[in-house]
Amino acid sequence: MSLFIYTEEQKQLIEEIRRFVRKEIAPVAPKYDLTGEFPFEIIRKAAALGYLNLFQSTDLGGADLSLT
């Protein structure tokens, strides 16, 4: 049970990020766990989609979203 009532925009963002994780991260996570490599390509993709700076203010290049 969720403690928050998400807006439609928040629900959409959550689903977008879940799809990204399923497609880009989950299939290769075991490899990175075993090798200890840093997943630069995944980080670049996440950054390009704006997923790394969701909570930063817009004047710093972020999306200025709340922590919820």
Side-chain angles (χ1 to χ4, degrees):
M1 179 171 167
S2 178
L3 299 176
F4 301 103
I5 298 174
Y6 295 110
T7 66
E8 287 306 312
E9 183 180 274
Q10 289 169 322
K11 290 176 187 177
Q12 182 180 3
L13 179 61
I14 290 166
E15 189 52 40
E16 287 174 18
I17 293 172
R18 283 181 178 156
R19 279 193 297 270
F20 178 81
V21 169
R22 279 188 224 113
K23 180 182 177 192
E24 303 290 339
I25 298 174
V28 295
K31 172 194 145 195
Y32 287 110
D33 286 344
L34 289 173
T35 65
E37 294 175 68
F38 187 80
F40 287 105
E41 189 57 36
I42 293 172
I43 298 301
R44 284 187 197 101
K45 288 178 184 180
L49 293 168
Y51 296 159
L52 298 186
N53 56 356
L54 295 173
F55 311 115
Q56 287 181 324
S57 63
T58 52
D59 60 321
L60 296 174
D64 204 22
L65 298 177
S66 73
L67 293 175
T68 58

